[in-house]
Amino acid sequence: MEVIKIKNGINLNLIKTDKFKTNLLSVFLTVPLNENTITKNALIPAILRRGSNNLKTQEEISKTLEGMYGADFDCGLNKNGDNHVIKFYLESLNDDFIPEQGENMLKESIEKLTEIVFNPYLEDGIFKEEYVNQEKENIKQRIEARKDNKAAYARSRCVEEMYKDEPAGFFNYGYIEDLEKINSKTLYEYYQNLLKECKIDIFVSGKVDIEDTLKIIKENSHISNLNQRNANFIVNKIVSREAPQEKKVEEKLDVAQGKIVIGCDITFNENDLRDENLKCEAMLYNSLLGGSANSKLFQNVREKASLAYTASSSYVRYKSNIFINAGIEIENFEKALDIIRKQIEDLKNGEFTEEQIQNEKKGIISQINTIDDEQDTEIIYFLGQELTDTNETIDQYKENISKVTKEQIQNVAKKVKINTIYFLKD
């Protein structure tokens, strides 16, 4: 990938690949997570997709994309470390595969995407009131629907309890009480400030010429109108953490199956953070604990003890967290918890073999090999590089995984402390 600074705080990220017949274009607007703005951020992509200055309705946008050989547009938002990322995508046919010669589909696609993101449809100089009210209701329904997916709800509630009153604990789509305070005028004013301050990353993935693409971007009026900025975002880094005070939270819902989510802190210290391969060591620890079908949680909690329908774990790099997830019969809570604790202790005691390590390395490297199989996956990987201010190629990533030793994994294991045990039951 090649990164080109367009203006201060605005980068063009070019991924040249011949693997696809399409170009995937993305615009990411990144700002720090903030309780006062998170609900507004959730509304922004929903409003922008409703219409632009030249394409005033979703129907006009859809009809235009259909005329571009079935180009596809999508948008949304993610939490990334302590950042909120508002994302926009447009996928269109590469110029080499267009039947009509002389068309410049890349230029047209960039024009349409930047039109939607940076030149919204306005009425009386602000967002259209009808669109704002409708999207506020849609976001409200989305927030209320959190509980529909019990596993996802349990995970998000555990995160909230672990990070009370901290950015990482905020719900991705914000809060119903904040929707009541937002109107067309205040939301448009926020959008204007957002565009002045946020980090902006434009990604182009496909069979493209760097010079031609750069020329298109520099001549794009919507991008030209953007100001220079000291981008307001958080550079994600693995952090040092103190040993937490373990707490237990129980919540009742109408569930057929209990959901355990255990949030753990990896209590790295300043000396640990000098280890450049810390991410890979923690990834392998997580893989041994619950990240694969051969992991301790899967084999011992689910298969041997038959205490869980599901048992797995995941690693959140930038918050130095491990999350353990299990779906159980509600009466088996204490038994399942005891066996889960034992798996954590066994890893601290080095009860895993070199053969297991090699198997987990193969599994992780196999997953890394799939990063460039999908354009959006590869873009998200390189966005992660942007938000961590690093430049690790996919080959370097695989090499770093292969170098991890048992001693390093055990060192991570000794630093894993349970922070919050969340149990969802009926």
Side-chain angles (χ1 to χ4, degrees):
M1 186 185 74
E2 183 160 350
V3 181
I4 302 168
K5 185 169 84 170
I6 303 301
K7 297 180 180 181
N8 286 341
I10 304 173
N11 285 340
L12 170 63
N13 305 266
L14 282 166
I15 304 172
K16 289 191 66 174
T17 173
D18 295 335
K19 295 179 71 171
F20 309 97
K21 292 184 177 181
T22 57
N23 295 328
L24 183 59
L25 317 176
S26 305
V27 174
F28 298 100
L29 313 178
T30 301
V31 289
L33 282 163
N34 184 300
E35 191 172 17
N36 296 322
T37 61
I38 195 165
T39 310
K40 293 175 183 175
N41 288 341
L43 280 165
I44 291 298
I47 296 298
L48 296 183
R49 75 181 303 161
R50 295 294 299 267
S52 70
N53 184 49
N54 295 313
L55 302 169
K56 298 184 178 357
T57 65
Q58 278 184 297
E59 289 75 21
E60 285 188 56
I61 292 174
S62 297
K63 189 176 292 184
T64 299
L65 295 176
E66 189 177 328
M68 295 166 61
Y69 302 97
D72 188 41
F73 171 79
D74 199 5
C75 59
L77 70 165
N78 285 337
K79 286 163 57 175
N80 188 307
D82 285 333
N83 292 301
H84 215 194
V85 182
I86 305 172
K87 55 185 184 177
F88 305 87
Y89 294 95
L90 195 151
E91 185 177 29
S92 59
L93 200 60
N94 186 279
D95 288 328
D96 285 356
F97 300 97
I98 292 176
E100 299 289 334
Q101 295 299 312
E103 290 193 57
N104 192 333
M105 185 58 64
L106 177 63
K107 182 176 181 179
E108 186 175 358
S109 299
I110 290 173
E111 285 289 339
K112 293 299 180 289
L113 181 59
T114 55
E115 160 84 13
I116 293 169
V117 178
F118 300 120
N119 194 19
Y121 176 65
L122 306 177
E123 285 189 349
D124 300 321
I126 58 175
F127 287 138
K128 184 174 180 176
E129 185 176 0
E130 179 188 358
Y131 289 174
V132 172
N133 290 336
Q134 289 174 349
E135 294 306 331
K136 282 169 63 176
E137 182 60 31
N138 290 339
I139 293 291
K140 179 183 176 183
Q141 292 176 9
R142 189 158 197 164
I143 295 170
E144 290 173 338
R146 280 180 74 187
K147 296 179 181 179
D148 292 349
N149 183 328
K150 301 301 190 291
Y153 175 72
R155 168 68 178 259
S156 70
R157 284 287 296 116
C158 184
V159 172
E160 285 178 343
E161 292 293 335
M162 282 180 70
Y163 288 99
K164 275 191 172 179
D165 304 318
E166 292 184 48
F170 301 148
F171 181 57
N172 194 32
Y173 290 94
Y175 303 96
I176 290 173
E177 56 268 27
D178 292 334
L179 288 168
E180 299 166 4
K181 308 169 193 172
I182 298 170
N183 59 43
S184 300
K185 183 174 184 293
T186 58
L187 186 62
Y188 181 62
E189 288 172 349
Y190 172 72
Y191 164 77
Q192 288 179 300
N193 288 329
L194 173 74
L195 290 191
K196 290 176 184 176
E197 299 176 358
C198 68
K199 175 174 171 56
I200 299 178
D201 285 288
I202 301 162
F203 279 82
V204 178
S205 167
K207 190 179 179 182
V208 294
D209 180 85
I210 292 176
E211 290 186 5
D212 289 346
T213 306
L214 182 58
K215 184 173 184 290
I216 292 169
I217 291 291
K218 287 188 171 180
E219 292 177 352
N220 181 281
S221 60
H222 307 302
I223 295 172
S224 297
N225 289 336
L226 295 169
N227 61 294
Q228 308 260 7
R229 79 275 316 280
N230 292 318
N232 180 24
F233 76 107
I234 306 296
V235 178
N236 288 326
K237 297 292 182 185
I238 296 176
V239 296
S240 59
R241 301 187 68 82
E242 296 180 0
Q245 184 72 39
E246 184 180 308
K247 60 184 175 182
K248 187 182 292 185
V249 178
E250 294 189 359
E251 185 174 350
K252 290 187 176 182
L253 267 185
D254 183 17
V255 292
Q257 180 189 113
K259 305 291 183 185
I260 301 175
V261 182
I262 302 175
C264 303
D265 287 316
I266 310 177
T267 56
F268 292 130
N269 58 41
E270 292 299 329
N271 289 331
D272 295 320
L273 299 184
R274 297 192 188 105
D275 181 355
E276 295 180 356
N277 212 25
L278 208 54
K279 170 192 73 172
C280 295
E281 295 160 20
M283 286 179 66
L284 274 158
Y285 166 83
N286 174 70
S287 194
L288 287 163
L289 176 66
S292 74
N294 295 316
S295 67
K296 285 186 171 292
L297 289 175
F298 190 90
Q299 290 297 321
N300 295 307
V301 182
R302 184 182 185 277
E303 295 295 294
K304 293 179 182 177
S306 298
L307 286 174
Y309 302 102
T310 58
S312 63
S313 67
S314 57
Y315 169 50
V316 180
R317 173 185 178 186
Y318 306 119
K319 304 306 294 182
S320 297
N321 292 144
I322 298 286
F323 286 96
I324 297 167
N325 308 276
I328 64 167
E329 294 289 345
I330 292 166
E331 62 270 19
N332 288 335
F333 172 65
E334 292 296 342
K335 289 180 183 177
L337 186 56
D338 286 344
I339 296 181
I340 289 170
R341 288 186 190 274
K342 186 175 187 310
Q343 310 317 306
I344 295 172
E345 289 303 311
D346 284 352
L347 286 172
K348 288 179 182 178
N349 295 328
E351 295 185 23
F352 54 98
T353 66
E354 288 292 341
E355 182 182 1
Q356 289 173 312
I357 294 171
Q358 292 306 315
N359 286 336
E360 299 306 331
K361 285 181 178 180
K362 288 176 185 176
I364 293 173
I365 289 171
S366 178
Q367 290 175 347
I368 296 172
N369 283 332
T370 67
I371 288 174
D372 60 3
D373 286 346
E374 299 287 343
Q375 285 173 291
D376 58 342
T377 306
E378 190 171 20
I379 285 174
I380 290 299
Y381 173 78
F382 284 115
L383 176 67
Q385 303 289 299
E386 273 290 304
L387 297 183
T388 53
D389 193 26
T390 56
N391 186 24
E392 182 184 52
T393 67
I394 292 174
D395 285 339
Q396 288 169 337
Y397 189 7
K398 291 187 288 188
E399 183 181 348
N400 289 337
I401 288 290
S402 68
K403 292 191 298 189
V404 175
T405 66
K406 179 175 181 177
E407 181 183 4
Q408 289 171 322
I409 297 170
Q410 193 173 355
N411 180 57
V412 172
K414 290 176 180 177
K415 296 177 184 298
V416 173
K417 312 290 182 185
I418 292 176
N419 180 313
T420 301
I421 299 168
Y422 174 87
F423 185 41
L424 184 64
K425 61 182 184 178
D426 65 4

